[in-house]
Amino acid sequence: MRIRHIFPMNEERLLEALKTVRYPGFSRDIVSFGLVRDLKLEGGHATVLLAVTTADSSIPSKLSAECENALLAVPGVKKATVNISVQATRAPSDAPKDKDEKPAISGVKAIVAVASGKGGVGKSTVAVNIACAMDKLLRRGRGCKGVGVLDCDIYGPSIPLMLGASGRPEVLNGRIQPETAQGMKIMSMGLLLDDDSPVVWRGPMVTSAIVQFVKDVEWGELDVLVVDLPPGTGDAQLALTQNIPVTGAVIVTTPQKAAVTVARRGARMFSKVNVPLIGVIENMSYLEMPDGSRNPIFGSGGGAATAKALETALLAEVPLEAGVREGSDEGLPAVLSAPDSPAAKEFFKAAEGILKALGLA
């Protein structure tokens, strides 16, 4: 969102004042996160409209008070009115079951964010495998609408490679048409760039891209939209949770202490924006040796400890397997290329747990 192209120049000083207001629990301001939807200054009366997605009733009142104080501190402003449009988040147990109930994205029953506190834990690999596993499980039943995958890792999009997609999305009647890979609808910045093109964007541009992927893509009818988030707790995470009610989040970690510590920090970010945790998936849990023993290369018990600390479920412990890496490189995830492998069985176990939490099992 390019704020300077939206508001008149005589109201820029109000916008600058609002940049001092931080979203509760975050270090970034409400302007860079795209929460300011309208701003007026008439005869010394400043009026602002914010759009917030949260189930925490204290957040709107905190933002209102801080925005009012910030606006009244601007010379010439005698009165400030802060209007806040609030859309509540939805818990997994409250996933839409009635056809008359409006889902977060028209036609999409549930939205699952896959996240990690740090990079290098295999989050995207986990995301594509559980997406494929859920799609396969859902297609066993009647009336399945399938699964979609949204790649929100703007700087390092890898979903197209992992799912074997190489086409370019088209625009039809003003709506972006997602590509199809392994029977699933997908959208990624990787589909819009040349192979070697870097993405050198500031935070607000990342926010704008994610909002467009969510609102301007013709997803059609889906049972589940899996969203692969970049590592950490920055622009992409808040842009997503502020623009659609995410049904729940899955946290990916490895057993090692460094990954577990950061995973807990990342998971608690979701609690601040009132997105329920569905569970934890421990990746690279162990390497199976030729004699059948397990070698815990990265330690052990980290996933279970993380799930316990976060008071959520441990969905799976995925072993290190060459087939998982090979499947990702070849565009055919392990759950499709080697469904009977130990890793694939754990991905299916996780998928079953997620579907159960969503009320779709």
Side-chain angles (χ1 to χ4, degrees), residues 43-351:
H45 183 189
T47 305
V48 62
L49 171 63
L50 305 181
V52 178
T53 300
T54 181
D56 187 344
S57 59
S58 68
I59 287 180
S61 59
K62 290 178 182 177
L63 288 177
S64 179
E66 291 186 23
C67 287
E68 183 176 348
N69 290 336
L71 292 173
L72 289 174
V74 176
V77 175
K78 300 177 181 179
K79 180 181 179 182
T81 300
V82 181
N83 299 312
I84 300 181
S85 173
V86 180
Q87 186 173 15
T89 53
R90 184 188 301 277
S93 60
D94 294 328
K97 300 177 179 62
D98 193 309
K99 65 180 181 179
D100 295 327
E101 197 172 349
K102 293 182 179 180
I105 300 176
S106 179
V108 179
K109 290 183 179 179
I111 300 170
V112 175
V114 180
S116 65
K118 66 185 293 294
V121 300
K123 170 187 54 60
S124 294
T125 299
V126 170
V128 297
N129 274 281
I130 62 172
C132 289
M134 284 192 287
D135 187 66
K136 196 168 183 178
L137 291 171
L138 286 166
R139 291 188 186 282
R140 293 176 182 174
R142 296 181 179 180
C144 169
K145 297 179 175 62
V147 174
V149 182
L150 171 58
D151 186 357
C152 281
D153 196 341
I154 302 298
Y155 297 117
S158 56
I159 297 300
L161 170 66
M162 293 182 175
L163 288 174
S166 58
R168 295 275 186 173
E170 297 180 352
V171 177
L172 182 62
N173 297 325
R175 301 283 291 171
I176 302 172
Q177 306 301 307
E179 287 295 299
T180 300
Q182 308 302 341
M184 302 182 297
K185 294 178 180 178
I186 73 167
M187 178 53 63
S188 169
M189 182 60 72
L191 297 172
L192 306 175
L193 301 172
D194 295 328
D195 290 342
D196 298 325
S197 299
V199 178
V200 186
W201 285 359
R202 293 185 182 275
M205 296 178 68
V206 173
T207 299
S208 179
I210 292 174
V211 171
Q212 188 172 18
F213 281 170
V214 169
K215 296 186 175 181
D216 295 341
V217 172
E218 190 59 52
W219 289 106
E221 293 191 345
L222 296 172
D223 288 309
V224 183
L225 178 62
V226 176
V227 182
D228 181 33
L229 287 172
T233 55
D235 299 321
Q237 288 79 0
L238 195 57
L240 183 73
T241 56
Q242 283 297 317
N243 284 279
I244 56 174
V246 177
T247 314
V250 172
I251 305 300
V252 180
T253 185
T254 58
Q256 66 189 107
K257 185 176 181 179
V260 167
T261 301
V262 181
R264 294 179 190 175
R265 187 180 305 127
R268 291 194 172 97
M269 180 277 296
F270 286 103
S271 68
K272 288 184 178 294
V273 292
N274 299 289
V275 173
L277 292 181
I278 295 175
V280 173
I281 296 177
E282 183 185 270
N283 195 27
M284 309 180 199
S285 295
Y286 60 88
L287 176 66
E288 187 168 336
M289 307 303 289
D291 62 359
S293 63
R294 296 180 176 184
N295 183 354
I297 294 177
F298 297 111
S300 61
T306 300
K308 182 178 180 180
L310 297 173
E311 299 182 344
T312 189
L314 178 63
L315 296 170
E317 295 174 303
V318 183
L320 273 166
E321 290 182 7
V324 174
R325 190 271 303 164
E326 292 167 356
S328 295
D329 288 346
E330 296 169 3
L332 193 64
V335 297
L336 302 180
S337 61
D340 294 325
S341 65
K345 289 180 179 179
E346 287 297 304
F347 286 130
F348 275 111
K349 177 183 174 182

